[in-house]
Amino acid sequence: MTTGGQGWTSGLFRDQELAGQFSDAAMFAGFARFEQALINALAEAGLVEAEDAGRLVSQIAGFEPDHQAIAEAVVRDGLPVPDYVRQLRAHVSGPGSSMLHHGATSQDLIDTATVEALARTSDILAARLDALLALIADRQSSDGGHRLQAITRMQAALPFEASARLSAWMHPLEDLRERLTELTQRSRVLQFGGAVGDLQALGDKAPIIAQSLAKQLDLSWPGHSWHSARGPVMAHANWVSELSGALGKIGQDLALMALRGGEDIALSGGGSSSAMPHKQNPVTAELLVTLARYNATQISGMHQAQIHEMERSGAAWMLEWMILPNMCETAGAGLTAACGLFQSIERIGEPS
Amino acid sequence: MTTGGQGWTSGLFRDQELAGQFSDAAMFAGFARFEQALINALAEAGLVEAEDAGRLVSQIAGFEPDHQAIAEAVVRDGLPVPDYVRQLRAHVSGPGSSMLHHGATSQDLIDTATVEALARTSDILAARLDALLALIADRQSSDGGHRLQAITRMQAALPFEASARLSAWMHPLEDLRERLTELTQRSRVLQFGGAVGDLQALGDKAPIIAQSLAKQLDLSWPGHSWHSARGPVMAHANWVSELSGALGKIGQDLALMALRGGEDIALSGGGSSSAMPHKQNPVTAELLVTLARYNATQISGMHQAQIHEMERSGAAWMLEWMILPNMCETAGAGLTAACGLFQSIERIGEPS
Amino acid sequence: MTTGGQGWTSGLFRDQELAGQFSDAAMFAGFARFEQALINALAEAGLVEAEDAGRLVSQIAGFEPDHQAIAEAVVRDGLPVPDYVRQLRAHVSGPGSSMLHHGATSQDLIDTATVEALARTSDILAARLDALLALIADRQSSDGGHRLQAITRMQAALPFEASARLSAWMHPLEDLRERLTELTQRSRVLQFGGAVGDLQALGDKAPIIAQSLAKQLDLSWPGHSWHSARGPVMAHANWVSELSGALGKIGQDLALMALRGGEDIALSGGGSSSAMPHKQNPVTAELLVTLARYNATQISGMHQAQIHEMERSGAAWMLEWMILPNMCETAGAGLTAACGLFQSIERIGEPS
Amino acid sequence: MTTGGQGWTSGLFRDQELAGQFSDAAMFAGFARFEQALINALAEAGLVEAEDAGRLVSQIAGFEPDHQAIAEAVVRDGLPVPDYVRQLRAHVSGPGSSMLHHGATSQDLIDTATVEALARTSDILAARLDALLALIADRQSSDGGHRLQAITRMQAALPFEASARLSAWMHPLEDLRERLTELTQRSRVLQFGGAVGDLQALGDKAPIIAQSLAKQLDLSWPGHSWHSARGPVMAHANWVSELSGALGKIGQDLALMALRGGEDIALSGGGSSSAMPHKQNPVTAELLVTLARYNATQISGMHQAQIHEMERSGAAWMLEWMILPNMCETAGAGLTAACGLFQSIERIGEPS
């Protein structure tokens, strides 16, 4: 019952690999890539000399931000970029240094680094989803022809084949897998707007610089910033909650099957009870339901966070930071749990 | 503060045109189309004689369900189809009558009628969204070059052109408009699974019948039912809440601009105050925020409703019924309000 | 799947008796009581002649507001009071008429009428809760000694007495019943603040007038307005959602017991299936889960609505109007459904 | 944008002091107190010899659980108690050892330790709330007579005294402070039910043992377990979200006042911008809004978690673990932020 990724609940709710995509180290690396690409782009636009740009890019590559100092500055600034840029300015030197961060604003760095983190997150989730689909397909191969009792509205309905239930689990996961590829492509969008979103400090060089920046970072450039229009992050939030929901439905079914007994399922493992040593609780099946209901709760906050005030809302934006990485971790923890759960299934239904 | 679509709050929160898409009349008409198409499909599959099918389709066309009897049966059955079908069976006659509803289940009728209602809803929302985009474009043409104060994090940032803020409002609406076409195509999916989702009663005729049904209803057939996988309804729910969010952001901005005063905006109309006759409240701008926060609340319930138990969950499914039509109405009311609000704008920013 | 209290879903989700407490008629009657009490209070404070007050009170008693005109004005004003007061001013005549509504504002009328509606709602819910508790107690008397299988974490745990499960259902309902009395007393609070919440138009007469108003309306007066501090409405919202949750837990259990079969429960009635005539679905048990998850969704919106801007936020306040009456209806529908469900229980557990 | 209590967002969203109340160390200490009290209670009931009890209590006092082993076991068991008890059993020795944990179950330990953590949380929040109220009262003393513009529905309404707005902030905080004392008393409730909630393993000794346990732990004993009735945790969840809401309202106001400028407020400090060095963003005011909307999101999950299945639901219970400690931290972070914010206020309104 601790928060913060440590403690006994970590093994249930956290996902270190996904948390790592949003860590300070990962985000600050994204900031560095942005600042490097920006210097190169400014050079392409003729605002920085090419050789200065090369030197600055090298200097940025060697920059090690002081995490602790940033963490302290965040309490005052509400975000890490001002202090990050202050440190970076102190680190670089030579001609062109004053052009560091030129035309950009904090939100450009944070949102772009977030888009990159979400893309990495999607890659991780995609691989796990493939693994889970393979496990379900294996079960389909072995037990698809088994006899199972179909249940509708909490009543025994008709007997059917186990393959029907297994397919009902697979189809939404397959759809989500297919949509993920598309979603990730669509949402790999550069954030770049400068102080108030219109890139005014860059004048008519803005389009060239933006395009160069996007190209270097392997992102698309929609022709405008999206500071107060949160489409790319919303797309990921909706998707991860739908994934958790699809896993939660499987967990709910497996918990009900465990309740109905050996006719429905044989599971190995299962949780111990401190009071009843004879029990084997379908803990992981329950966990999938928990994680689904958690993300179904969080999604509301993401939709609330769409209501930015004017050109930038700290209130709405910080709400995303509180919620979205946790949603990704929750989805990731769910996939890991679901894979483990399928590995512990010994049989579904009964041979007919 | 009444519920139920009547009373003084209706003018703020309800949308009669959209409510109409989910009315008994509209849904029961969907049921009739389904039963007609099913009879034809059964005929194609050789399970009903062609002439009998023709006669039954005509008989169904003349069927007027007793709404009151259905409403009463719903309290017992939890859904309207059993009594609807009972009445319909009593209405039709002649050879082939016993094949009415053959192979289908309540959920096939309700979900398919819902998909159709959502498609009609999308058409209505698309038209209103086009109208709103045209109004914003008009304002863009007239006032785009005006000078406005950009505001970030609740502080005056820099002056910029009104066009920048207007564009920031338009871009997400344009994206939503584009996505709507795609979403509607994707989610026009026949629901057809029979008692437990596997169309077992139809044996190897199932694919022919499902394809015929889909073709007649102008829907796609994914090759399987989606009784417990709610992708198509989730896609609509997410979309309408994102639309409400984009409108809420505009409302929030316009309310803040009204607070800042004539430098930012000149509005005609505005709400009266019972205590301060001098005030003109930006009521409609506030309403857009309310509607956005309402849908951002509801979306959580839709994500919770993904967790179906086994082959059909009454609990989860009914939750959709409580929430989704209201979300559509809320989005529709928002578009109407936003159009009215843009018509009441006399000027944004100041000529430079 | 209609919205608005009519249509086939009404029998599941709506509650006419509770809806009636928030109807135009009920709310406008509250406005009239407020205006009458205010005139009397102004007379006590010496701002209106006693005989004029008497006449005005009589005139108000005979006032029939034009609901349709108010509904139309609401679209412009965002609330019904300005037009209601305009109509009322046109209705009254004679000396003192100009003092009608003196010192008050729209929010005073709406919030006070809402507090009264919530008090009536609580009385209705209290009576139904008593009835439900009596039904569970009856079942306790008849079947408490029966043998039942305790289930923990979706696994058979140990056998126990049915009385243990019945008690686990009753205790939270008894707690809620006890808290309701206290909650209703605490939240019977006059709203009175005038234009900006400080009763400035009444000068040092404000306390006398407020106290008189409260006394006449049988409400308490906390010494200040609570325009932007929503404690009384929040208390009701939390309570009704907790009630729905307690009923949802019972519904969940009964649905699971129905799944486990006759060893656990014998139910009469139950819903028909259009595809499987042999089934008797525990529709009402599922409905209790739906209603609980609905209110658990809505409660988030009420908590969001706490964030009023400055002295009055239309955005936050309207969100309450969209949500709170529906939450009350949902709780009411749940109690009615739960009573019906207990009446349909023939046996819980098995005689030992 | 990291999760887990470390990283740059910690300074905004986390609260180490409150997190500490739910840490492994704190929770396991609660388990130890429970097991000690239980041994004493069993001795009072004559089930353990007094001298054995004394020795076991001493042995438990010296027990250092292996946190890592517990964390690993949690993945299998879904909770830490089975492995904790296994380790503890291995640690103690001598007559009576077999009575360790006798009659208790995991939930008794976890829920009781949680109740204790919530009570400590309340004490911390109470002290901070007192400090905040003192700061607001100071501002009331210095600036209460200043002139300020009242704002209703995002429009300048009338001038009023700053004291009116300050009072509108204080009243709900004072109410919450008063309710906290009562809430904490009410919710200091022992959880004790044994395997399936009815204490059946203790027979007619159960009441004596439960009362002794409660007395030793300074908790009340309601006469029954509340395994599946979550009243005590719900009371805290509702309260902390109401607190966050009251603080969010203040933050929203202060952000709007900062937007309106020096006529409304003079703030020292404020956040830097990476693009606009002239700005001083009201970061902490925005943060209060973020934290309020976060808790208003989370509260929905707590209400969903009321729907336990049968005698114990892992799915619902784990959802509490994911949400409630974070809600407490969020409320705590809000109080700390609000105190800092009030210390940075130099003036509210203008001397008249």
Side-chain angles (χ1 to χ4, degrees):
Chain A
M1 206 156 193
T2 57
T3 57
Q6 70 281 42
W8 59 264
T9 61
S10 325
L12 300 172
F13 309 142
R14 313 303 331 184
D15 187 306
Q16 288 307 315
E17 186 179 11
L18 288 177
Q21 309 312 315
F22 299 93
S23 70
D24 282 4
M27 293 294 285
F28 297 168
F31 297 175
R33 281 192 300 275
F34 188 101
E35 296 290 5
Q36 289 175 315
L38 178 59
I39 281 293
N40 284 331
L42 292 168
E44 278 185 54
L47 297 175
V48 170
E49 294 297 318
E51 62 187 306
D52 293 340
R55 194 196 63 255
L56 285 163
V57 165
S58 293
Q59 290 176 340
I60 296 171
F63 174 56
E64 293 285 353
D66 176 343
H67 289 212
Q68 185 56 33
I70 290 173
E72 283 161 22
V74 164
V75 178
R76 180 190 67 237
D77 297 337
L79 72 193
V81 179
D83 201 67
Y84 176 92
V85 171
R86 184 192 59 73
Q87 292 182 25
L88 184 57
R89 284 193 203 283
H91 173 79
V92 299
S93 59
S97 298
S98 66
M99 293 302 279
L100 193 81
H101 196 65
H102 179 70
T105 195
S106 297
Q107 191 166 2
D108 298 331
L109 274 69
I110 294 178
D111 281 353
T112 299
T114 299
V115 160
E116 293 175 333
L118 290 169
R120 292 189 303 267
T121 293
S122 294
D123 289 343
I124 297 166
L125 296 178
R128 292 191 199 169
L129 194 40
D130 288 338
L132 176 60
L133 282 164
L135 287 166
I136 308 181
D138 286 349
R139 187 53 52 193
Q140 184 71 282
S141 302
S142 59
D143 300 354
H146 286 188
R147 192 183 150 91
L148 201 58
Q149 178 66 50
I151 306 286
T152 57
R153 303 197 79 149
M154 300 298 260
Q155 285 286 283
L158 300 170
F160 69 162
E161 288 201 340
S163 67
R165 186 169 294 157
L166 286 158
S167 295
W169 294 342
M170 288 185 85
H171 290 141
L173 296 177
E174 287 166 346
D175 284 353
L176 284 160
R177 180 65 186 86
E178 194 183 313
R179 281 170 52 198
L180 183 57
T181 304
E182 186 190 318
L183 177 155
T184 306
Q185 282 170 343
R186 279 197 186 190
S187 61
R188 290 185 63 89
V189 182
L190 174 69
Q191 179 64 285
F192 191 44
V196 299
D198 60 357
L199 290 171
Q200 60 179 257
L202 299 175
D204 52 17
K205 307 275 193 186
I208 297 174
I209 295 168
Q211 278 153 16
S212 164
L213 203 41
K215 194 176 171 191
Q216 293 178 69
L217 297 171
D218 191 21
L219 301 172
S220 64
W221 166 241
H224 53 80
S225 69
W226 45 279
H227 285 175
S228 63
R230 314 303 295 162
V233 293
M234 291 299 294
H236 281 274
N238 288 333
W239 189 92
V240 295
S241 179
E242 287 188 63
L243 172 61
S244 296
L247 300 176
K249 186 266 183 290
I250 297 174
Q252 183 71 279
D253 284 359
L254 288 168
L256 287 165
M257 290 163 81
L259 176 64
R260 283 177 39 87
E263 182 190 341
D264 277 20
I265 197 163
L267 275 167
S268 65
S272 321
S273 159
S274 77
M276 291 168 285
H278 67 280
K279 286 185 70 190
Q280 287 225 331
N281 295 319
V283 165
T284 310
E286 290 182 304
L287 178 60
L288 291 178
V289 177
T290 301
L291 298 173
R293 297 211 180 278
Y294 182 80
N295 268 352
T297 301
Q298 306 309 310
I299 192 66
S300 176
M302 289 298 295
H303 282 246
Q304 296 286 355
Q306 294 181 98
I307 308 172
H308 266 244
E309 298 108 13
M310 304 294 214
E311 278 62 51
R312 182 173 306 121
S313 163
W317 196 27
M318 288 191 280
L319 190 53
E320 289 178 12
W321 307 346
M322 287 191 87
I323 292 178
L324 188 55
N326 273 323
M327 288 185 74
C328 292
E329 273 199 68
T330 300
L335 281 171
T336 301
C339 286
L341 186 52
F342 270 88
Q343 284 164 328
S344 76
I345 294 175
E346 300 183 337
R347 176 181 46 75
I348 283 190
E350 291 179 319
S352 42
Chain B
M1 204 155 194
T2 57
T3 57
Q6 72 280 38
W8 60 264
T9 61
S10 324
L12 301 171
F13 309 141
R14 313 303 330 186
D15 187 306
Q16 288 307 313
E17 188 180 9
L18 288 176
Q21 308 313 316
F22 299 92
S23 69
D24 283 5
M27 293 294 285
F28 297 167
F31 296 175
R33 280 192 300 274
F34 188 100
E35 297 289 4
Q36 289 175 314
L38 177 59
I39 283 291
N40 284 329
L42 292 168
E44 279 185 52
L47 298 174
V48 170
E49 294 296 319
E51 64 187 306
D52 292 338
R55 193 194 64 254
L56 285 163
V57 166
S58 293
Q59 289 176 340
I60 296 171
F63 174 56
E64 294 285 352
D66 176 344
H67 290 210
Q68 186 56 35
I70 290 173
E72 284 161 22
V74 163
V75 178
R76 181 192 66 236
D77 297 337
L79 72 191
V81 179
D83 201 67
Y84 176 91
V85 171
R86 184 194 57 75
Q87 291 182 27
L88 185 57
R89 284 192 203 282
H91 174 78
V92 300
S93 59
S97 299
S98 65
M99 292 302 280
L100 194 81
H101 197 65
H102 180 70
T105 195
S106 297
Q107 191 168 2
D108 297 331
L109 274 68
I110 294 180
D111 281 353
T112 299
T114 299
V115 160
E116 293 175 332
L118 290 168
R120 294 189 302 267
T121 293
S122 294
D123 289 344
I124 297 167
L125 296 178
R128 292 192 199 170
L129 194 40
D130 288 337
L132 177 60
L133 281 164
L135 286 165
I136 308 180
D138 286 348
R139 186 54 52 195
Q140 184 71 282
S141 301
S142 58
D143 300 354
H146 286 188
R147 191 182 151 92
L148 202 59
Q149 178 66 50
I151 306 285
T152 57
R153 302 198 79 149
M154 299 299 262
Q155 286 284 283
L158 299 170
F160 71 160
E161 288 201 340
S163 66
R165 185 169 295 158
L166 286 158
S167 294
W169 294 342
M170 288 184 85
H171 290 140
L173 295 178
E174 287 166 346
D175 284 352
L176 284 160
R177 181 65 185 85
E178 195 182 313
R179 282 170 50 199
L180 182 58
T181 304
E182 186 189 318
L183 176 155
T184 306
Q185 282 171 343
R186 278 197 188 192
S187 61
R188 290 184 64 89
V189 182
L190 174 69
Q191 179 64 284
F192 190 46
V196 299
D198 61 357
L199 290 171
Q200 60 180 255
L202 299 174
D204 52 17
K205 306 277 192 183
I208 298 174
I209 295 169
Q211 277 153 18
S212 164
L213 203 42
K215 194 175 172 193
Q216 292 179 70
L217 295 171
D218 192 21
L219 301 172
S220 63
W221 166 240
H224 52 79
S225 68
W226 45 278
H227 285 174
S228 64
R230 314 304 295 162
V233 293
M234 292 300 293
H236 280 274
N238 287 332
W239 189 92
V240 296
S241 180
E242 287 188 63
L243 172 62
S244 295
L247 299 176
K249 185 268 182 291
I250 298 175
Q252 183 72 279
D253 284 0
L254 287 168
L256 286 165
M257 291 164 81
L259 176 64
R260 283 178 38 88
E263 182 189 340
D264 276 21
I265 197 164
L267 277 167
S268 66
S272 321
S273 157
S274 76
M276 292 170 286
H278 66 280
K279 287 185 67 190
Q280 287 225 331
N281 295 320
V283 164
T284 310
E286 290 181 304
L287 177 60
L288 291 178
V289 178
T290 301
L291 298 174
R293 296 212 181 278
Y294 181 79
N295 267 353
T297 301
Q298 306 309 310
I299 193 66
S300 175
M302 288 298 296
H303 283 246
Q304 297 285 357
Q306 293 181 100
I307 308 171
H308 265 245
E309 298 107 12
M310 304 293 214
E311 279 60 52
R312 181 173 307 121
S313 164
W317 195 28
M318 288 191 279
L319 190 54
E320 290 180 11
W321 307 346
M322 286 191 87
I323 292 178
L324 187 56
N326 274 322
M327 289 186 74
C328 293
E329 273 200 66
T330 299
L335 281 170
T336 302
C339 287
L341 186 52
F342 270 88
Q343 284 164 327
S344 76
I345 294 175
E346 299 183 337
R347 177 180 44 74
I348 282 191
E350 290 180 319
S352 44
Chain C
M1 205 155 192
T2 57
T3 56
Q6 71 279 39
W8 59 264
T9 61
S10 325
L12 300 172
F13 309 142
R14 313 303 331 185
D15 187 307
Q16 288 307 314
E17 187 179 11
L18 288 177
Q21 309 313 315
F22 299 93
S23 70
D24 283 4
M27 293 295 283
F28 297 167
F31 296 175
R33 282 192 299 275
F34 188 101
E35 296 289 4
Q36 289 175 315
L38 178 58
I39 281 292
N40 284 331
L42 292 167
E44 278 185 53
L47 297 174
V48 170
E49 294 298 315
E51 61 186 309
D52 292 340
R55 195 195 64 256
L56 285 162
V57 165
S58 293
Q59 290 176 339
I60 296 170
F63 174 57
E64 294 284 353
D66 176 344
H67 290 211
Q68 185 56 34
I70 290 173
E72 283 161 23
V74 164
V75 177
R76 180 190 66 236
D77 297 337
L79 71 192
V81 179
D83 201 67
Y84 176 92
V85 170
R86 183 193 59 73
Q87 291 183 26
L88 184 57
R89 283 193 204 283
H91 173 79
V92 300
S93 59
S97 299
S98 65
M99 293 301 280
L100 194 81
H101 197 65
H102 179 70
T105 195
S106 297
Q107 192 167 3
D108 298 331
L109 273 68
I110 293 178
D111 281 353
T112 299
T114 299
V115 160
E116 293 175 333
L118 289 168
R120 293 189 302 267
T121 293
S122 294
D123 289 344
I124 296 167
L125 296 178
R128 292 191 199 169
L129 195 40
D130 288 338
L132 176 60
L133 282 164
L135 286 165
I136 308 181
D138 285 350
R139 185 56 50 195
Q140 184 71 281
S141 301
S142 58
D143 300 353
H146 286 187
R147 190 183 152 92
L148 202 58
Q149 178 67 49
I151 307 285
T152 57
R153 304 197 78 151
M154 300 298 261
Q155 284 286 284
L158 300 170
F160 71 161
E161 288 201 339
S163 66
R165 185 169 294 159
L166 287 158
S167 294
W169 294 343
M170 288 186 85
H171 290 140
L173 295 178
E174 287 166 346
D175 283 352
L176 285 160
R177 181 65 186 86
E178 194 182 314
R179 281 169 52 200
L180 182 58
T181 304
E182 187 189 317
L183 176 155
T184 307
Q185 281 170 344
R186 279 196 187 191
S187 62
R188 291 185 63 90
V189 182
L190 174 69
Q191 178 64 284
F192 191 44
V196 299
D198 62 356
L199 289 172
Q200 62 179 255
L202 299 174
D204 52 16
K205 306 278 193 185
I208 297 175
I209 294 168
Q211 277 153 19
S212 165
L213 203 41
K215 194 176 171 190
Q216 291 178 70
L217 295 171
D218 191 22
L219 301 172
S220 64
W221 167 239
H224 53 80
S225 69
W226 45 278
H227 285 174
S228 63
R230 312 305 295 164
V233 294
M234 291 300 293
H236 281 274
N238 287 333
W239 189 92
V240 294
S241 179
E242 287 188 63
L243 172 61
S244 295
L247 300 176
K249 186 265 184 291
I250 298 174
Q252 183 72 279
D253 285 359
L254 288 168
L256 286 165
M257 291 163 81
L259 175 65
R260 284 177 39 86
E263 182 189 341
D264 277 21
I265 196 163
L267 276 167
S268 65
S272 322
S273 158
S274 76
M276 292 169 284
H278 67 280
K279 287 185 70 191
Q280 286 225 330
N281 296 319
V283 165
T284 310
E286 290 182 304
L287 177 60
L288 291 178
V289 177
T290 300
L291 297 173
R293 296 212 180 277
Y294 181 80
N295 267 353
T297 301
Q298 307 308 310
I299 193 67
S300 175
M302 288 298 296
H303 282 246
Q304 297 285 357
Q306 292 180 100
I307 307 172
H308 266 244
E309 299 108 11
M310 304 293 213
E311 278 62 50
R312 180 173 307 123
S313 163
W317 196 27
M318 287 191 281
L319 189 54
E320 290 179 11
W321 307 348
M322 286 192 87
I323 291 178
L324 188 54
N326 274 323
M327 289 186 74
C328 293
E329 272 198 68
T330 299
L335 281 170
T336 301
C339 286
L341 185 52
F342 270 88
Q343 284 164 328
S344 76
I345 293 174
E346 298 182 339
R347 176 181 45 75
I348 283 189
E350 291 179 319
S352 43
Chain D
M1 202 155 196
T2 56
T3 55
Q6 70 280 41
W8 59 264
T9 61
S10 325
L12 300 172
F13 309 141
R14 313 301 333 183
D15 187 305
Q16 288 307 314
E17 188 180 9
L18 288 177
Q21 309 313 314
F22 299 92
S23 70
D24 282 4
M27 293 294 284
F28 297 167
F31 296 175
R33 281 193 300 275
F34 188 101
E35 297 289 6
Q36 289 175 315
L38 178 58
I39 282 291
N40 285 329
L42 292 168
E44 278 185 54
L47 298 175
V48 170
E49 294 297 318
E51 61 188 308
D52 292 338
R55 192 195 66 253
L56 285 163
V57 166
S58 293
Q59 290 175 340
I60 297 171
F63 174 56
E64 294 285 353
D66 176 344
H67 289 212
Q68 185 56 34
I70 290 173
E72 284 161 22
V74 164
V75 178
R76 180 190 67 234
D77 297 337
L79 73 192
V81 178
D83 201 68
Y84 177 91
V85 170
R86 183 193 59 74
Q87 291 182 26
L88 185 56
R89 283 193 204 281
H91 173 79
V92 299
S93 59
S97 298
S98 66
M99 293 302 280
L100 193 82
H101 196 65
H102 180 68
T105 197
S106 297
Q107 191 167 3
D108 297 331
L109 273 69
I110 294 179
D111 281 353
T112 299
T114 300
V115 160
E116 293 175 333
L118 290 169
R120 295 189 302 266
T121 293
S122 294
D123 288 345
I124 296 167
L125 296 178
R128 292 191 199 170
L129 193 42
D130 288 337
L132 176 61
L133 282 164
L135 286 166
I136 309 180
D138 287 349
R139 187 53 53 192
Q140 184 71 281
S141 301
S142 58
D143 300 353
H146 286 187
R147 192 182 149 92
L148 201 59
Q149 179 66 49
I151 306 285
T152 57
R153 302 197 78 149
M154 299 299 260
Q155 285 284 284
L158 300 169
F160 71 160
E161 288 201 339
S163 66
R165 185 169 293 159
L166 286 158
S167 294
W169 294 342
M170 288 185 84
H171 290 140
L173 295 177
E174 287 166 347
D175 283 353
L176 284 160
R177 180 66 185 86
E178 194 183 313
R179 281 169 51 198
L180 182 58
T181 303
E182 187 189 318
L183 177 154
T184 307
Q185 282 171 343
R186 279 198 189 191
S187 60
R188 292 185 61 89
V189 181
L190 174 69
Q191 179 64 286
F192 191 45
V196 299
D198 61 356
L199 289 172
Q200 60 180 257
L202 299 174
D204 52 16
K205 305 277 191 184
I208 298 174
I209 295 168
Q211 277 153 18
S212 164
L213 202 41
K215 194 176 172 191
Q216 293 179 69
L217 296 171
D218 192 22
L219 301 172
S220 64
W221 167 241
H224 53 80
S225 69
W226 45 278
H227 285 174
S228 64
R230 313 303 295 163
V233 293
M234 291 300 293
H236 281 274
N238 287 332
W239 189 92
V240 295
S241 180
E242 287 189 61
L243 172 60
S244 295
L247 299 176
K249 186 266 182 291
I250 297 175
Q252 182 72 279
D253 284 0
L254 287 167
L256 287 165
M257 291 164 80
L259 176 65
R260 282 178 39 87
E263 182 189 340
D264 276 21
I265 197 163
L267 276 167
S268 66
S272 321
S273 158
S274 75
M276 293 169 285
H278 66 281
K279 287 185 69 189
Q280 287 226 329
N281 296 319
V283 164
T284 310
E286 290 182 304
L287 178 59
L288 292 178
V289 177
T290 300
L291 298 173
R293 296 212 181 277
Y294 181 80
N295 267 352
T297 301
Q298 306 308 310
I299 192 67
S300 175
M302 288 298 295
H303 282 246
Q304 297 285 357
Q306 293 179 100
I307 307 172
H308 265 245
E309 298 108 12
M310 305 293 216
E311 279 61 51
R312 180 173 307 120
S313 163
W317 195 28
M318 288 191 280
L319 189 55
E320 289 180 12
W321 306 347
M322 286 191 87
I323 292 179
L324 188 55
N326 274 322
M327 289 186 73
C328 292
E329 272 199 68
T330 300
L335 281 170
T336 301
C339 286
L341 185 53
F342 270 88
Q343 283 164 328
S344 76
I345 294 175
E346 299 182 338
R347 176 181 45 74
I348 283 189
E350 291 179 319
S352 43

